[in-house]
Amino acid sequence: MLWKACALLFFVASIGSSFGDRNNITAAKIWLEEYNTEAEKVRPEAQEASWTWNTNITDYNNRLKLEAEKKKSEFDKRSYNQTLNWDWKNFTEINAKRQFYKIADIGESVLPTDKFQQITKAKSNMQSVYSKARVCNKPGDQDPSKCYPLNPTLENIMAKSTDWKELAWAWEGWRNETGRKMPDDYEKFVELANEAAGMNGYTDNGDYWRSWYETENFEKQMEELFIGLKDLYKLLHAYARKKLKERFVGHPFPDSGQIPAHLLGNMWAQSWGNLFTLLAPYPGKPLDVTEMMREQNYTTRKMFDLSEKFFTDLGLDPMPPKFYNDSMLDKPEDGRDVVCHASAWDFYNRKDFRIKQCTQVTMDWLITTHHEMGHVQYFLQYKDQPVVFRRGANPGFHEAIGDVLALSVSTPKHLKKINLLRPNQNPDDEELQLNFLMNQALKKIAFIPFGYLIDQWRWKVFKGETKKDEYNEDWWNLRCKHQGVSPPVQRFNTDFDAGSKFHVPNNTPYIRYFVSYVIQFQFHKALCKEAGHNGPLHKCDIDQSTEAGNKLAAMMKLGSSKEWPDAMEAITGQRKMNVSDLIEYFAPLEDWLKKEVKNETLGWDDQCGRNFTIPTPPPTSPPTTPTPTPQSSTVKPTSGFDSIHNNKTFIGIFIAILAIFVR
Ligand SMILES: *[C@@H]1O[C@H](CO)[C@@H](O)[C@H](O)[C@H]1NC(C)=O
Ligand SMILES: *[C@@H]1O[C@H](CO)[C@@H](O)[C@H](O)[C@H]1NC(C)=O
Ligand SMILES: *[C@@H]1O[C@H](CO)[C@@H](O)[C@H](O)[C@H]1NC(C)=O
Ligand SMILES: *[C@@H]1O[C@H](CO)[C@@H](O)[C@H](O)[C@H]1NC(C)=O
Ligand SMILES: *[C@@H]1O[C@H](CO)[C@@H](O)[C@H](O)[C@H]1NC(C)=O
Ligand SMILES: *[C@@H]1O[C@H](CO)[C@@H](O)[C@H](O)[C@H]1NC(C)=O
Ligand SMILES: *[C@@H]1O[C@H](CO)[C@@H](O)[C@H](O)[C@H]1NC(C)=O
Ligand SMILES: *[C@@H]1O[C@H](CO)[C@@H](O)[C@H](O)[C@H]1NC(C)=O
Ligand SMILES: *[C@@H]1O[C@H](CO)[C@@H](O)[C@H](O)[C@H]1NC(C)=O
Ligand SMILES: *[C@@H]1O[C@H](CO)[C@@H](O)[C@H](O)[C@H]1NC(C)=O
Ligand SMILES: *[C@@H]1O[C@H](CO)[C@@H](O)[C@H](O)[C@H]1NC(C)=O
Ligand SMILES: [Zn+2]
């Protein structure tokens, strides 16, 4: 999920400087004030245009949005030009210097008008395709006009179905209707984004994105964190694979060790929480929070109220008066197309803050609600900073806040308190604790390689190492290598599976989520200490600790006015990202998993992407009615998935095995 920042319009600045004033800090500060005042007037307008389109996708609203974006870019350019009136790089006043640095960082707005319009158009096209996509011809449906959106239908199928064929339909259909329609626009976007980055002095757009972390060797640091977590992931992977082979007995799993990507309870295999029932160490001790919520007639509003109360009980801010009226908390029932993907919005006027999501009454959505409200809390805490500092200390910090609170909210102890644990369940029961940790691991540990790999892929694309006709092959190389998952149906170089993940068409950088998953455990540990928690980290609930709340608030209030290690120090006392708190949190589960998978071969073939073939089913499978072959003869298979897939015999057998297990 993302938070929405940036959007400026135009204003006419008044302070010009003649040559001799280039070092006049007094004049420079007056200009900064004026910039800020104007930005607070004009940013809300651009945000409003974007909001309108996001909550009502029409051509008309798209035109308004493009117009607003054009004005924003003109404003950015003009402001940038005015920064040239000062030798701000030589200012000794750090705060003013940093504001200039941020104002001068205008991203894509640097492009000439025609190219700026091309890049915004390419992005809008991809976003429209993604948000309007529907998948038809569901197995068993007679009516071909029945088509299904991602939220809620396809998501629910991925979450709940145990029917291999139905899962494969949803998985493939979603990719047919999204990514596959985007490679031309994506290529155009990459070209222009790189051109803008070059004009701004970066080697490519990935280099530009990484610059927001102000960290030397950022790529190397990310890799080191990832390596530190890989063993833990492999344990979980081996355990999930073992149990999934039991569930889908008779279906082909690759010998090279990956898990077919459609079986993990999620469209992108990024979070495996929906497999909890299958994977719980003690199945007799469920954590059926969703059930409990439904029994208690939870509504969207009740979920938001519960979340807000956790924030205010820490001494943090309540949602502002207009929040509930102006937000879009449910999917509209009037049939209009909306961007359902959850997001939180700062309108930069210190008054308007909104959330847009298509809430369902489930525990996952309760956590998402906390996540998005964490963004709004950050907006509220830093709203008195200059506009250019109204950002997270780094993008990962913004993603971490709500999650940190959710780490407390999800504990059995807290669930008991808010009546979401069964009355006969004891929150201190060690077996229940282990179930809880498994549930957490399915969300957090399962996500680690996915959070890492998306930008591994994009950074390579921006560097020019991955060309358009290699988009999909390289995507699967990384999915195989880092996540240990494999495509359930053949892929071609006309597919563009990266584009089926929201953040790619939406051009939201992704490494922030990986960063967030690491640092949220550092924050959690620090806040638990502040709250006086004793005992294992996974049992900590910081509820009602104003000491913890104050620490968090002090960090959030900084916005991006300081480099992130300062913000991290304010909360944890240390200046580095470090996986050891995450590992400590999961220690009891790690021990349990080690015993559980001691007969399994850990890991998978790292080279799986390049020479992967979808496994053939056992020869004994009885034949069934053939289904139309899933490929057109003009399509060249991706080199990673070749030869055998052009073989009609193979396809016939493959479909046949799918058909046997229809429930
Ligand atoms: C610096 O700018 C301020 C505000 O414009 C002005 O009052 C002051 O005279 C300037 N100082 C110098 C040394 O030019
Ligand atoms: C959606 O936008 C269109 C303009 O393109 C407008 O006519 C319509 O009333 C809007 N719908 C809603 C529900 O706001
Ligand atoms: C910025 O300054 C440059 C050179 O002085 C000029 O060519 C350009 O038109 C200016 N742009 C804006 C938006 O004022
Ligand atoms: C900044 O200061 C250095 C040393 O004082 C000087 O050499 C340089 O020219 C200055 N930069 C600008 C842009 O004036
Ligand atoms: C894939 O190819 C690599 C060499 O490129 C080889 O080491 C590996 O064993 C192959 N894997 C399979 C499953 O054939
Ligand atoms: C939930 O709603 C049902 C049907 O309206 C009602 O019978 C039940 O008492 C409600 N439960 C709670 C906890 O309010
Ligand atoms: C409530 O929201 C609607 C749009 O969602 C807006 O038209 C109306 O002005 C808002 N009312 C208040 C009091 O903010
Ligand atoms: C991470 O933290 C642990 C425990 O505090 C420490 O031993 C280790 O050296 C740290 N790792 C790095 C890379 O700083
Ligand atoms: C491992 O294999 C041994 C011997 O077949 C068996 O007794 C044991 O239960 C297995 N352990 C697990 C965790 O499956
Ligand atoms: C996806 O597209 C391929 C090629 O057009 C087609 O054969 C296949 O049936 C489609 N899958 C779904 C689920 O729509
Ligand atoms: C297709 O696959 C079958 C079974 O693997 C094999 O017998 C046959 O020779 C293959 N045909 C082609 C054209 O590759
Ligand atoms: Zn988010």
Side-chain angles (χ1 to χ4, degrees):
M1 279 126 270
L2 77 159
W3 57 285
K4 191 76 195 171
C6 298
L8 322 192
L9 286 171
F10 61 107
F11 82 101
V12 184
S14 51
I15 306 267
S17 275
S18 67
F19 187 74
D21 298 336
R22 293 177 62 78
N23 292 305
N24 185 335
I25 187 73
T26 313
K29 281 180 170 173
I30 291 170
W31 182 78
L32 287 174
E33 288 280 328
E34 295 196 357
Y35 169 89
N36 200 59
T37 306
E38 285 305 314
E40 280 198 335
K41 285 188 198 133
V42 299
R43 278 197 187 205
E45 288 179 43
Q47 289 295 73
E48 199 69 55
S50 180
W51 173 269
T52 301
W53 180 82
N54 269 267
T55 55
N56 182 8
I57 305 176
T58 66
D59 290 343
Y60 177 76
N61 290 339
N62 191 36
R63 275 198 300 282
L64 295 187
K65 176 169 152 281
L66 293 183
E67 244 166 66
E69 277 165 2
K70 182 162 165 264
K71 285 180 181 168
K72 163 198 182 289
S73 91
E74 285 162 1
F75 169 82
D76 287 349
K77 269 190 217 177
R78 206 165 19 245
S79 305
Y80 170 74
N81 263 13
Q82 285 161 6
T83 64
L84 300 175
N85 292 334
W86 281 279
D87 280 339
W88 58 267
K89 286 180 184 162
N90 275 5
F91 284 175
T92 48
E93 189 122 350
I94 300 300
N95 189 283
K97 182 176 170 180
R98 194 166 169 82
Q99 287 186 59
F100 273 101
Y101 164 67
K102 303 247 171 195
I103 294 169
D105 175 17
I106 61 171
E108 288 160 11
S109 296
V110 77
L111 290 170
T113 310
D114 58 330
K115 289 191 170 171
F116 182 79
Q117 278 176 326
Q118 286 170 30
I119 196 170
T120 34
K121 190 142 180 292
K123 291 198 286 188
S124 281
N125 288 349
M126 292 188 286
Q127 289 164 22
S128 289
V129 164
Y130 187 94
S131 289
K132 290 182 175 179
R134 303 274 188 282
V135 182
C136 319
N137 299 314
K138 185 157 130 43
D141 276 4
Q142 302 304 325
D143 179 0
S145 70
K146 267 188 167 171
C147 302
Y148 304 92
L150 178 66
N151 175 319
T153 322
L154 301 178
E155 276 177 0
N156 284 339
I157 289 172
M158 297 311 292
K160 291 185 192 134
S161 177
T162 53
D163 174 346
W164 182 288
K165 188 179 177 183
E166 187 181 37
L167 288 166
W169 166 81
W171 190 95
E172 184 185 19
W174 179 247
R175 281 153 182 81
N176 279 3
E177 296 305 321
T178 53
R180 196 191 271 182
K181 298 182 174 173
M182 296 171 191
D184 292 341
D185 282 321
Y186 199 74
E187 186 185 37
K188 188 80 196 162
F189 160 74
V190 170
E191 176 198 320
L192 292 169
N194 275 344
E195 190 172 327
M199 290 170 79
N200 288 324
Y202 298 96
T203 55
D204 62 63
N205 195 51
D207 184 35
Y208 173 52
W209 283 1
R210 291 189 297 273
S211 75
W212 301 336
Y213 290 86
E214 303 177 281
T215 301
E216 289 289 316
N217 299 322
F218 182 66
E219 288 178 85
K220 184 86 190 133
Q221 278 199 30
M222 292 301 104
E223 189 185 356
E224 281 166 6
L225 295 174
F226 180 60
I227 289 169
L229 294 170
K230 193 132 195 185
D231 286 345
L232 191 51
Y233 178 73
K234 280 183 179 168
L235 288 173
L236 188 67
H237 178 277
Y239 173 65
R241 185 179 54 197
K242 177 177 106 169
K243 301 294 275 189
L244 283 167
K245 281 182 176 175
E246 287 166 23
R247 170 178 276 183
F248 292 101
V249 65
H251 283 284
F253 279 66
D255 292 336
S256 41
Q258 302 85 33
I259 303 175
H262 63 320
L263 305 181
L264 289 152
N266 174 278
M267 185 58 89
W268 309 275
Q270 69 179 68
S271 172
W272 307 347
N274 290 316
L275 297 184
F276 177 71
T277 320
L278 178 69
L279 302 183
Y282 300 95
K285 300 192 172 171
L287 276 169
D288 41 8
V289 175
T290 296
E291 301 282 295
M292 294 288 285
M293 288 168 71
R294 298 218 168 119
E295 282 168 25
Q296 291 171 46
N297 301 333
Y298 262 64
T299 57
T300 298
R301 183 55 192 261
K302 187 163 179 189
M303 290 159 72
F304 273 84
D305 288 344
L306 188 67
S307 174
E308 184 173 356
K309 182 168 186 304
F310 198 92
F311 282 93
T312 52
D313 283 353
L314 291 176
L316 297 170
D317 290 347
M319 295 297 107
K322 281 152 58 68
F323 173 82
Y324 285 104
N325 179 61
D326 294 344
S327 289
M328 187 195 95
L329 304 182
D330 294 298
K331 185 169 181 170
E333 282 167 3
D334 55 16
R336 80 187 111 120
D337 284 307
V338 300
V339 179
C340 260
H341 195 96
S343 56
W345 296 58
D346 184 355
F347 284 69
Y348 300 102
N349 59 7
R350 302 185 228 181
K351 292 200 301 274
D352 283 304
F353 306 92
R354 299 180 198 165
I355 286 175
K356 175 186 64 56
Q357 64 182 39
C358 302
T359 315
Q360 298 174 51
V361 177
T362 66
M363 178 168 190
D364 270 0
W365 276 103
L366 183 62
I367 303 299
T368 300
T369 299
H370 284 78
H371 175 93
E372 297 303 336
M373 214 175 248
H375 286 310
V376 176
Q377 187 64 228
Y378 215 150
F379 299 154
L380 291 168
Q381 293 294 336
Y382 62 43
K383 72 179 167 43
D384 296 321
Q385 288 281 356
V387 164
V388 285
F389 290 159
R390 292 183 205 165
R391 291 193 174 195
N394 74 35
F397 277 58
H398 229 298
E399 299 303 333
I401 302 303
D403 285 19
V404 168
L405 272 60
L407 286 176
S408 286
V409 174
S410 338
T411 55
K413 180 178 165 194
H414 191 80
L415 293 176
K416 183 89 187 173
K417 204 162 159 182
I418 57 177
N419 198 26
L420 289 176
L421 205 61
R422 295 268 170 220
N424 63 353
Q425 287 183 314
N426 170 6
D428 290 321
D429 176 351
E430 288 306 317
E431 295 182 352
L432 185 71
Q433 284 291 338
L434 212 56
N435 275 356
F436 158 67
L437 269 185
M438 175 61 80
N439 199 35
Q440 293 294 83
L442 295 176
K443 290 165 186 165
K444 306 291 182 186
I445 299 173
F447 180 79
I448 292 292
F450 187 78
Y452 180 67
L453 74 84
I454 301 235
D455 283 351
Q456 293 295 310
W457 180 81
R458 271 193 294 206
W459 292 344
K460 281 183 72 171
V461 170
F462 289 133
K463 279 176 187 164
E465 289 169 12
T466 298
K467 306 274 194 300
K468 186 179 172 196
D469 64 353
E470 299 159 331
Y471 280 172
N472 213 48
E473 188 186 339
D474 274 1
W475 171 254
W476 277 104
N477 285 336
L478 291 165
R479 289 264 275 167
C480 271
K481 180 173 177 188
H482 294 312
Q483 252 187 312
V485 299
S486 60
V489 293
Q490 57 192 318
R491 309 316 290 148
F492 297 95
N493 66 358
T494 44
D495 288 314
F496 180 38
D497 292 337
S500 82
K501 175 64 195 166
F502 178 83
H503 301 69
V504 173
N506 204 65
N507 298 305
T508 306
Y510 211 77
I511 197 72
R512 60 184 55 170
Y513 301 98
F514 175 78
V515 167
S516 153
Y517 274 50
V518 172
I519 65 179
Q520 64 185 247
F521 288 91
Q522 293 178 262
F523 293 175
H524 184 56
K525 182 160 180 185
L527 296 180
C528 289
K529 190 168 164 215
E530 206 62 31
H533 172 76
N534 286 312
L537 189 52
H538 68 276
K539 292 191 178 179
C540 163
D541 170 16
I542 62 169
D543 192 19
Q544 298 184 341
S545 166
T546 48
E547 293 84 359
N550 289 342
K551 259 220 147 147
L552 202 53
M555 187 276 277
M556 289 191 279
K557 282 189 201 308
L558 293 173
S560 63
S561 65
K562 301 270 175 61
E563 294 192 5
W564 69 261
D566 292 340
M568 167 153 310
E569 193 167 23
I571 194 166
T572 68
Q574 46 163 325
R575 302 178 61 83
K576 282 193 167 144
M577 305 187 203
N578 188 318
V579 298
S580 61
D581 296 335
L582 191 164
I583 288 175
E584 177 188 334
Y585 181 94
F586 285 107
L589 183 73
E590 185 177 3
D591 292 343
W592 184 86
L593 282 170
K594 277 181 180 156
K595 286 182 209 130
E596 210 49 39
V597 300
K598 74 168 193 284
N599 295 345
E600 304 289 311
T601 309
L602 294 188
W604 52 87
D605 176 2
D606 265 6
Q607 297 293 317
C608 52
R610 299 245 170 248
N611 49 8
F612 183 76
T613 52
I614 290 161
T616 42
T620 51
S621 341
T624 30
T625 19
T627 325
T629 50
Q631 92 217 64
S632 95
S633 52
T634 55
V635 172
K636 175 182 160 286
T638 327
S639 61
F641 317 103
D642 52 15
S643 62
I644 192 164
H645 306 303
N646 276 331
N647 186 324
K648 298 246 155 93
T649 318
F650 167 78
I651 289 158
I653 297 171
F654 189 59
I655 302 285
I657 193 89
L658 297 185
I660 294 165
F661 291 90
V662 176
R663 286 167 25 128

